[in-house]
Amino acid sequence: MPAKLILLIGILAVSTAAVLIKQAQAAGAASLLIAAGRMGLASLVLFPVAAFVHHHTWRTLSLPMVLRVLLCGVLLALHFAFWISSLAHTSVAVSTVLATTTPIWVALASRFLFQEHLSRGQLLGLAIALAGSLALGLNDLGPAHSTQSVWGGFLAVASAWMIAAYFLLSQKLRQALPNLAFIGLTFSTAAVVLVLLCLAQGLSLGIGAIQSEALWAIALLALVPQLIGHSALNWAIPRLGATVVTVAILGEPVGAAILALLLLHEDITAMSLLAFACILLGIYLVARKK
């Protein structure tokens, strides 16, 4: 199957995540519980396969590498905890657009932590994305709505910070480890961290405490966006390049917003559309690195 088709399938799959999360939240499931269920179910499928194929690889890992892999898992857990929580406070469109600002934070971190050069195009992209974010703040996160929307927007941005740190930390690990060996460990670590966070908040992990509508949404969340979507995106990276995949991921908030409009009847104002366009254009310019 052509790599670009696999990439398209991956984008379509991850675009369903926000709507499924909203449905689970509407059925009464706590955000942390949804995150734990998503990663837990995905790990139950992925970890045994990864262990069977790569147990010899795991045995050769040095202690520093193991610690870095575990830290990646923690960052991944925090990413999902923040992003899924953001959807309880703001719209799908706002949450997904802000959560996909990852390339901007990676570029800024690379500039200030590793002294990497930013091109004129990237600097222009940062400026355009900042302008779009400010417009979004004035329109969708402003007094016309509520402090809940502001909090939801902040959580979405925080999720982008976490996944940006995850990408930066995992760069060298991905060169040293096969993809399945890497995500088998990080997904499982994220699942354990999220379960511990649920227990710390006193959330019941029993299936009987969750409504059937939420259970179906969480199961689909683990299958479609996590196992199918993220696996397809990870598979496409070495074949199409990280830049191509990163830019293609900009299709996620577009697909998510369309699904939210059709299924959840979430309206999008003209000002919001302009802000989204600015942010996505800015991310595209930053990801191109030209």
Side-chain angles (χ1 to χ4, degrees), residues 76-237:
L76 191 63
L78 292 176
H79 161 71
F80 282 118
F82 287 144
W83 180 57
I84 291 175
S85 296
S86 78
L87 285 161
H89 302 286
T90 191
S91 69
V92 166
V94 170
S95 177
T96 52
V97 167
L98 293 179
T100 52
T101 56
T102 302
I104 292 174
W105 309 115
V106 170
L108 287 174
S110 298
R111 172 65 183 88
F112 291 107
L113 296 179
F114 310 119
Q115 285 72 53
E116 291 187 8
H117 174 71
L118 293 180
S119 68
R120 289 183 180 179
Q122 286 181 300
L123 291 173
L124 176 62
L126 289 172
I128 293 173
L130 177 60
S133 297
L134 290 174
L136 189 64
L138 292 173
N139 186 67
D140 287 277
L141 307 179
H145 290 74
S146 68
T147 54
Q148 287 293 311
S149 295
V150 177
W151 179 239
F154 172 76
L155 289 173
V157 173
S159 76
W161 293 340
M162 295 302 105
I163 205 66
Y166 168 86
F167 284 143
L168 289 169
L169 185 61
S170 67
Q171 280 181 350
K172 291 185 178 180
L173 290 172
R174 286 178 177 271
Q175 296 172 3
L177 284 173
N179 184 60
L180 181 59
F182 176 73
I183 64 175
L185 289 175
T186 53
F187 281 20
S188 302
T189 301
V192 171
V193 171
L194 288 166
V195 166
L196 292 176
L197 289 175
C198 286
L199 293 175
Q201 285 205 351
L203 297 174
S204 174
L205 298 175
I207 293 178
I210 308 174
Q211 293 186 29
S212 59
E213 293 87 349
L215 284 174
W216 276 110
I218 293 171
L220 288 172
L221 194 61
L223 174 62
V224 180
Q226 193 65 42
L227 287 175
I228 296 176
H230 282 269
S231 296
L233 296 178
N234 279 285
W235 181 89
I237 288 174

Side-chain angles (χ1 to χ4, degrees), residues 1-4 6-7 179 231-245:
M1 191 177 291
K4 289 184 179 179
I6 296 293
L7 177 59
N179 184 60
S231 296
L233 296 178
N234 279 285
W235 181 89
I237 288 174
R239 292 162 178 83
L240 296 174
T243 300
V244 172
V245 175

